[in-house]
Amino acid sequence: MRTYARMTGLYAPTLKEDPAEAELASHRLLLRAGMIRKSASGLYSYLPLAWRSLMKIEAVIRDEMEGIGAQEMLVPILTDGELWRQSGRWSAYGPELMRLMDRHEREFALGPTHEESFTDLVRNELRSYKQLPVTLYQIQDKFRDELRPRFGLMRGREFIMKDGYSFDADVEGMQKSYNDEKGAYARICERVGLRALPVVADSGQIGGDTSVEFMALADAGEAEIVYCDGCGFAADTEAARAPINLVEGEEGDLQKLETPGCGTIADLAAFLKVPEAATRKALALVDGDGKPWVCFVPGDHEMNDVKAEHAFGAYHMMSDEELVQYGLVKGFIGPIDLPEGVGSCADESLHDSAWWAIGANDAGYHYVHAKQGRDFTIGRWVDVITAKAGDRCPKCGAPLKAARGIEVGQVFQLGTKYSETMGATFADPDGVEKPFQMGCYGIGVSRMLAAVVEQHHDEHGISFPVAVAPYEVEVVPLDVNDDVVWPVASHVAEELLAAGVEVIVDDRKERPGVKFADADLMGFPYQVVCGKKAIKNGNVELKVRATGERTEVAIDEVASLLSARIASERA
Amino acid sequence: MRTYARMTGLYAPTLKEDPAEAELASHRLLLRAGMIRKSASGLYSYLPLAWRSLMKIEAVIRDEMEGIGAQEMLVPILTDGELWRQSGRWSAYGPELMRLMDRHEREFALGPTHEESFTDLVRNELRSYKQLPVTLYQIQDKFRDELRPRFGLMRGREFIMKDGYSFDADVEGMQKSYNDEKGAYARICERVGLRALPVVADSGQIGGDTSVEFMALADAGEAEIVYCDGCGFAADTEAARAPINLVEGEEGDLQKLETPGCGTIADLAAFLKVPEAATRKALALVDGDGKPWVCFVPGDHEMNDVKAEHAFGAYHMMSDEELVQYGLVKGFIGPIDLPEGVGSCADESLHDSAWWAIGANDAGYHYVHAKQGRDFTIGRWVDVITAKAGDRCPKCGAPLKAARGIEVGQVFQLGTKYSETMGATFADPDGVEKPFQMGCYGIGVSRMLAAVVEQHHDEHGISFPVAVAPYEVEVVPLDVNDDVVWPVASHVAEELLAAGVEVIVDDRKERPGVKFADADLMGFPYQVVCGKKAIKNGNVELKVRATGERTEVAIDEVASLLSARIASERA
């Protein structure tokens, strides 16, 4: 019979101080709790506690993959350079692809992803449409030589990834495989305790999405997203096309107002005593072909760089010198009397806006009651603004919320991109050779652990959900040498173990304060504190890490109470 | 509710023909059964069936490691070149160590083993004897750029390995950690169905062994070993010091016999009508210092190269020219009247041998009844012979058996080799800084799978033990379109699944012959064949893969019968 785990048998060197190099909570807390250690820039060891959590995340992934019929396997990390040449990525990938030569001077890459390997694997063995569909996946260390590795497990150079690849006979099949994965990914996020949103990265031409990123909501996230609590819509602010709450300027006859010093939207709105949304912002730029433009957007929205590149190519905002060169007056640009040769365009959200408050192309003057169609016309409509909280959900019209997100997974319809270039074909029912319709699906497993910590921590440390906690319960005997306290702690731990609970006992000869601090730092969901006073009443103290709630529970009841509660909280 | 696995949902492309490049049974059968595929020289993908077996092996390893308190974790595959320089292995390792530079031109190695990484991990965080012992391990892809990768999973360039490292305060602690691992390794081999012997590679000075290799017995093994069925002794033939069955020559007065053409032991033994063991073989060599020697060994034993190097340094056997130069007569060398300057020595096994039949240093003549002490003396005794079947167990005296073995694991007492060179110390009870006493422990996980196949196969394919079988039972409906057969097959599969058995159904529209052949090839331990005829009697046919035994079993009893039997056979 095995006995319960003990803190003295656990390698988890905790740190009392915050490590200077760690900006993010997850980076800081995983280091402090003795769960990870840096071995070189962007390279981390997962110590035993982190490894237990990672194994739980992997188990959830495996279970959901089995549920959709995806099959686990493993291809080598070393991938033949020849395969990368076939796909064209040997030259396209750049320095992020880690390369080496073997002793026979043959080139290899350390796989950052394995589209080539899996396409190569099946291309001579999946020969008929009858064998399709097939979805294969693996969980494996991946390598990307990031220019600036940072944020601990968030952006490392070696990281654990689940990557999967589907092979279908036609587009409909690929879409089904893709949708199966998308559903599984949403369930995986939920089961590991992550609040994550499926953010549409790209919309298909036929309808439906062709790529979705799963974004775990967290202030530390690198991506900005808007989402709808009502219908579940979510999009990157850079990609969203969300209707805005259009606020019109005042109606009236065109009037040129002296607006001294009102060179910004904030100044103008304050001067006019209207919300910024009722004003219009003019942005002067030169497009990729060298043509000057003035682009108008609502006063309370920003132009987005990615969208602007779609609209204007390799554009740049005009410098002060260029403004002068094109006859534009900084801070007072408007659509009426624009200088010769400067194009006028506006964001689509202003298409139906009648009344504008806008610069007069005259230093120190703005127009109010400028009416589109009467006083000016816009030559071209573009989609360039960044969506923001309060804009309307494009699906259901409800107000959107804004958040930051950590990309923990992505599903992608590849189509025939790899199968065509690498000559991976099958025979259709008529005997015609066709390239596979492929999908690829990735989860950042180690990053997912960091994301869980970002969502589940407080000022005292990590507060793991049961689903991915290294241990579910920590038993804390306040004095291991006490001949009343220790037997109770040991008894409770044995009972928990017998009930199938993952329990660890802090059997160190440390002060209670040290034990409490470490327990809160490591974030086991439940703590059973065994002290003399409570035991005198036949009780132990049960602390819920997430809420801080403490209750006294009878010694003989705590194991059954906890095991029932934990069973309902497992992944 | 999940349903049973189906062959149509399994990626396992079988091959009808033996692959030309595969010499070993495991290589051939794992390829043919669609379990592995080569992606480049020495680089293999593990397809879904192999992956399932590997996961089972890993689960057994994890369970046994937990049992001895070893903690699982993971260090990066990319290891900083600086660490390898500290240990001295950067230059010592040679071209087997795969190296690369990152984008900042920093050198890294792909870990072939991780002594440096683990020593580095603990050297600043395990500070006191109170924190010891600690044993850490990982299961990870390892890299060795073998000059000649071969035999499939046996000798690859990327392979799965379990490697563990123990840190102790003193030698006694290290020996306990080492013995715990040794015990666990023996149990792991047994549980995965391997007949393996712990072969002592090195004996300690204090007593007890300091390194043991676990050798799975198989004709395909690269190592030759002798072992004792009685007491469990096992040793590499190159390292064993086993007493031989000494056979004496005949007694009598020294007699010089004309032995025309008897230039070999076989000739001489036949001529004298005695066993080869009753003769003595003379081996002429030049030792590392350039001194000539004649070394005598029993007529039925070979000199062993490794042992001879211990005895003679960088020696070489004399060429015909050298024999002439030193005055020796090829085929007729003996201890009586050896030419001036040529040393005489003999294997220790001949120390107590009185009567020799041996060359007379005269072309065409041998001595019989040559008596050691009376007619000649031996100047030096060495240990140079290779042990062989029939030699006596050095522990219990029983006759040894010989076999070939595949090294699947090794345990090793490192002592302070790495801790001293890398400055990894802890404070002892007196506050004195001391280097850790370390041990290292490895299992070739992917090689272990190949070893299982070497031990468990026949002319039809693999015959997996339940412990590591990808599926425990295959249900084989002879006709999936038959409305009697299919419902029975599906029913039996559901019952097996509900009883916790890992079951796969061959739901392909293939002829029975194809299904039987694939089932035997893939080696699931039990097959439940569902055919019309047996079903008419309320039965299915149960086939035991290992024995070929077939019995009819009632449809409603087969699941409970199999689940009970399989439960007792699991790892």
Side-chain angles (χ1 to χ4, degrees), chain A residues 2-3 8-15 37-41 43-49 51-52 55 62-64 66-69 71-80 83 95-96 98-104 106 108 110 120-123 125-126 131 133-134 136 139-141 143 145-149 157-158 160 191, chain B residues 2-3 8-15 37-41 43-49 51-52 55 62-64 66-69 71-80 83 95-96 98-104 106 108 110 120-123 125-126 131 133-134 136 139-141 143 145-149 157-158 160 191:
Chain A
R2 303 259 165 96
T3 182
T8 53
L10 177 71
Y11 187 64
T14 54
L15 305 175
R37 282 297 180 265
K38 182 171 150 179
S39 71
S41 172
L43 300 173
Y44 285 84
S45 292
Y46 311 102
L47 306 197
L49 285 178
W51 189 249
R52 291 180 68 94
M55 295 275 279
R62 291 189 165 112
D63 187 56
E64 289 294 338
E66 189 190 321
I68 61 169
Q71 302 173 65
E72 186 172 1
M73 52 166 290
L74 193 72
V75 302
I77 287 169
L78 281 174
T79 51
D80 197 331
L83 288 180
E96 269 193 23
M98 302 192 92
R99 302 158 208 241
L100 73 160
M101 284 208 285
D102 73 4
R103 65 197 297 163
H104 304 296
R106 192 174 178 94
F108 287 87
L110 300 182
D120 178 52
L121 179 75
V122 304
R123 67 175 154 181
E125 304 212 272
L126 277 180
Q131 296 168 281
V134 168
L136 304 168
I139 299 176
Q140 187 186 48
D141 273 17
F143 298 82
D145 202 355
E146 296 274 353
L147 184 57
R148 272 180 295 276
R157 300 200 288 173
E158 179 175 343
I160 305 173
R191 287 177 65 182
Chain B
R2 304 259 165 94
T3 182
T8 53
L10 176 72
Y11 187 65
T14 55
L15 304 176
R37 281 298 180 266
K38 180 170 152 182
S39 72
S41 172
L43 299 174
Y44 284 85
S45 293
Y46 311 103
L47 306 197
L49 285 178
W51 189 249
R52 291 180 68 93
M55 295 275 277
R62 289 188 166 112
D63 187 56
E64 288 295 338
E66 189 189 320
I68 60 169
Q71 303 173 66
E72 186 171 1
M73 51 166 292
L74 193 72
V75 303
I77 287 169
L78 281 174
T79 52
D80 197 331
L83 288 181
E96 267 192 24
M98 302 193 91
R99 303 158 208 240
L100 73 161
M101 283 209 284
D102 72 4
R103 65 196 297 162
H104 305 296
R106 191 174 179 94
F108 287 87
L110 301 182
D120 178 53
L121 180 74
V122 304
R123 67 174 153 181
E125 304 212 273
L126 277 179
Q131 295 167 283
V134 168
L136 304 169
I139 300 175
Q140 187 186 46
D141 272 17
F143 299 81
D145 202 355
E146 297 274 354
L147 185 58
R148 273 181 293 276
R157 299 200 290 173
E158 179 175 344
I160 304 173
R191 287 176 64 181

Side-chain angles (χ1 to χ4, degrees), chain A residues 131-278:
Chain A
Q131 296 168 281
L132 303 179
V134 168
T135 297
L136 304 168
Y137 78 99
Q138 59 180 356
I139 299 176
Q140 187 186 48
D141 273 17
K142 293 284 188 285
F143 298 82
R144 281 182 203 164
D145 202 355
E146 296 274 353
L147 184 57
R148 272 180 295 276
R150 59 193 184 278
F151 306 145
L153 303 190
M154 285 292 181
R155 192 167 288 281
R157 300 200 288 173
E158 179 175 343
F159 50 94
I160 305 173
M161 188 169 154
K162 173 264 167 185
D163 54 323
Y165 308 88
S166 62
F167 300 88
D168 275 275
D170 50 34
V171 172
E172 293 68 37
M174 170 179 70
Q175 286 169 341
K176 184 188 178 309
S177 298
Y178 168 85
N179 284 322
D180 284 351
E181 292 275 347
K182 198 164 68 167
Y185 275 37
R187 291 189 296 275
I188 289 164
C189 289
E190 196 188 328
R191 287 177 65 182
V192 302
L194 274 185
R195 180 152 186 242
L197 295 174
V199 171
V200 175
D202 238 346
S203 288
Q205 287 143 319
I206 306 161
D209 50 81
T210 57
S211 173
V212 162
E213 291 169 345
F214 285 81
M215 292 287 184
L217 302 186
D219 293 340
E222 294 188 271
E224 291 179 57
I225 54 183
V226 286
Y227 65 97
C228 173
D229 264 343
C231 72
F233 168 85
D236 198 291
T237 53
E238 298 193 335
R241 300 180 66 151
I244 66 164
N245 297 304
L246 184 64
V247 180
E248 290 288 12
E250 285 176 7
E251 297 185 21
D253 292 333
L254 181 68
Q255 185 186 351
K256 188 168 177 177
L257 267 188
E258 196 172 357
T259 52
C262 290
T264 70
I265 290 294
D267 295 336
L268 179 65
F271 181 85
L272 298 176
K273 300 190 173 63
V274 297
E276 292 187 5

Side-chain angles (χ1 to χ4, degrees), chain A residues 305-324:
Chain A
D305 191 49
V306 173
K307 284 187 172 180
E309 282 202 356
H310 272 118
F312 302 110
Y315 80 101
H316 66 271
M317 301 307 290
M318 283 189 195
S319 65
D320 287 355
E321 291 72 27
E322 284 175 311
L323 287 171
V324 171

Side-chain angles (χ1 to χ4, degrees), chain B residues 477-500:
Chain B
L478 295 184
D479 181 353
V480 293
N481 292 322
D482 188 286
D483 56 10
V484 172
V485 170
W486 176 255
V488 168
S490 182
H491 167 76
V492 168
E494 288 289 1
E495 283 205 327
L496 285 164
L497 190 73

Side-chain angles (χ1 to χ4, degrees), chain B residues 333-548:
Chain B
I333 303 170
I336 300 169
D337 300 328
L338 258 184
E340 192 76 22
V342 177
S344 91
C345 66
D347 187 76
E348 288 167 350
S349 58
L350 295 177
H351 191 273
D352 300 322
S353 166
W355 303 99
W356 294 29
I358 188 71
N361 292 318
D362 191 359
Y365 289 91
H366 279 84
Y367 282 113
V368 290
H369 321 317
K371 189 174 187 192
Q372 192 183 165
R374 180 188 73 183
D375 305 319
F376 66 93
T377 55
I378 294 294
R380 178 185 170 200
W381 297 95
V382 289
D383 170 31
V384 294
I385 59 172
T386 300
K388 62 172 204 172
D391 287 353
R392 293 192 337 255
C393 174
K395 281 199 172 169
C396 75
L400 292 174
K401 294 185 173 178
R404 301 188 72 87
I406 298 162
E407 189 197 326
V408 291
Q410 183 170 20
V411 292
F412 201 90
Q413 294 184 22
L414 285 169
T416 59
K417 176 176 168 174
Y418 290 89
S419 51
E420 269 188 25
T421 53
M422 294 181 67
T425 62
F426 65 97
D428 80 357
D430 301 321
V432 179
E433 290 292 319
K434 287 186 176 168
F436 296 109
Q437 293 285 344
M438 290 173 56
C440 69
Y441 316 101
I443 293 177
V445 178
S446 40
R447 182 186 280 185
M448 193 170 251
L449 174 61
V452 168
V453 175
E454 289 294 338
Q455 286 192 2
H456 300 271
H457 72 271
D458 59 21
E459 69 274 26
H460 303 298
I462 305 170
S463 172
F464 275 113
V466 164
V468 297
Y471 289 95
E472 294 164 335
V473 177
E474 179 179 292
V475 175
V476 188
L478 295 184
D479 181 353
V480 293
N481 292 322
D482 188 286
D483 56 10
V484 172
V485 170
W486 176 255
V488 168
S490 182
H491 167 76
V492 168
E494 288 289 1
E495 283 205 327
L496 285 164
L497 190 73
V501 172
E502 296 177 4
V503 58
I504 186 164
V505 178
D506 192 346
D507 61 334
R508 296 175 300 168
K509 292 174 190 167
E510 293 281 2
R511 288 178 295 107
V514 171
K515 294 187 178 187
F516 291 146
D518 279 350
D520 280 0
L521 179 60
M522 293 176 180
F524 310 116
Y526 298 100
Q527 299 168 17
V528 177
V529 180
C530 304
K532 242 177 169 152
K533 205 173 132 193
I535 291 174
K536 207 171 276 177
N537 300 324
N539 292 339
V540 289
E541 190 182 64
L542 173 61
K543 176 177 168 184
V544 181
R545 172 67 183 87
T547 61

